[in-house]
Amino acid sequence: MKVKKITELDSLKYLKGYGIDYITKEGNSAYWELVSRAGIERLESEIFQGKVYTDGAMIVASDKAREHLVMIREYRVSAGKYLYMFPAGLIDDGEQIEQASIREFKEETGLTFSPVSISTPRYVSVGIVNERVNVAYGYYSGTASTAYQTEHEEAEIIFVDREKANQILEHEEISIRSALILEHFFKLNVFIDG
């Protein structure tokens, strides 16, 4: 994959832009902009009624010995480069989060995912988008394959042990969510793990 050019857009095809007028703690009028995958009804229900939605899942899969995690090294068009991250994807209409995590994991890695626990939906980047995802934790089995990836996915499947995790964290591009999980799982953060 390769990025050809970047164009400024006045409207978006897959995302919707919203302006939010609000009052600051000092009583002044202010304005905030964000994008969303969903319509205004969802955004209003989140803000005015406190409703919680999920857009998809990020999958953290370990072997039974808890020595390896499955990650992907995927080309991300928005960055124009490869990044290490955990498999993730959007939930389909009518799908439960467990089903979405199993399906997305299979599509991205060819492996079978057996969920053990699912987090509550959490924001991915609350400063610019209202997207939330659940983190699905569990075990993987089977043989890795890229055969289920779409033409829009270019991802290498990586089995990460503690040494590889340390190398990724020190020398590679990685999403912040994935970095924090690697640090926590392998106890690599000297501040947190002492």
Side-chain angles (χ1 to χ4, degrees):
M1 286 194 191
K2 182 179 178 183
V3 173
K4 295 185 334 186
K5 70 176 184 175
I6 301 171
T7 308
E8 188 171 347
L9 300 175
D10 293 327
S11 64
L12 300 168
K13 185 174 181 178
Y14 299 106
L15 299 173
K16 296 166 182 58
Y18 298 104
I20 299 175
D21 293 296
Y22 68 102
I23 305 296
T24 69
K25 65 180 180 182
E26 304 283 328
N28 297 312
S29 292
Y31 180 76
W32 193 269
E33 294 177 337
L34 75 132
V35 294
S36 177
R37 294 181 191 277
I40 195 164
E41 298 81 18
R42 171 178 157 174
L43 185 59
E44 288 175 337
S45 72
E46 287 175 317
I47 291 174
F48 297 125
Q49 285 116 34
K51 296 239 173 138
V52 177
Y53 298 89
T54 187
D55 296 286
M58 181 173 79
I59 302 104
V60 179
S62 168
D63 58 340
K64 293 282 185 174
R66 299 178 58 89
E67 294 174 350
H68 294 89
L69 293 175
V70 176
M71 296 190 79
I72 56 175
R73 181 178 172 267
E74 183 175 15
Y75 185 84
R76 298 302 296 194
V77 172
S78 57
K81 63 179 87 171
Y82 288 89
L83 276 84
Y84 283 84
M85 58 191 59
F86 288 100
L90 298 174
I91 194 168
D92 288 341
D93 285 338
E95 194 174 40
Q96 297 298 316
I97 197 66
E98 292 84 2
Q99 296 167 308
S101 63
I102 291 166
R103 177 186 50 76
E104 283 291 343
F105 193 72
K106 184 71 165 184
E107 288 174 7
E108 293 193 0
T109 70
L111 297 163
T112 300
F113 178 65
S114 301
V116 173
S117 68
I118 309 279
S119 75
T120 58
R122 297 203 167 88
Y123 289 107
V124 297
S125 183
V126 74
I128 60 169
V129 66
N130 67 332
E131 183 178 46
R132 291 182 191 222
V133 299
N134 299 76
V135 179
Y137 299 93
Y139 298 105
Y140 68 85
S141 61
T143 303
S145 171
T146 59
Y148 300 93
Q149 294 176 7
T150 70
E151 71 169 309
H152 303 285
E153 296 171 310
E154 186 173 301
E156 176 186 359
I157 301 138
I158 311 289
F159 294 90
V160 179
D161 61 10
R162 190 175 200 280
E163 183 179 331
K164 180 69 174 174
N166 206 33
Q167 184 266 325
I168 290 169
L169 291 167
E170 290 184 14
H171 304 290
E172 302 293 343
E173 293 280 356
I174 184 171
S175 70
I176 187 67
R177 295 179 298 172
S178 295
L180 291 170
I181 288 172
L182 273 187
E183 286 179 347
H184 186 68
F185 188 86
F186 290 111
K187 300 189 182 335
L188 295 170
N189 185 305
V190 294
F191 181 76
I192 293 172
D193 300 312

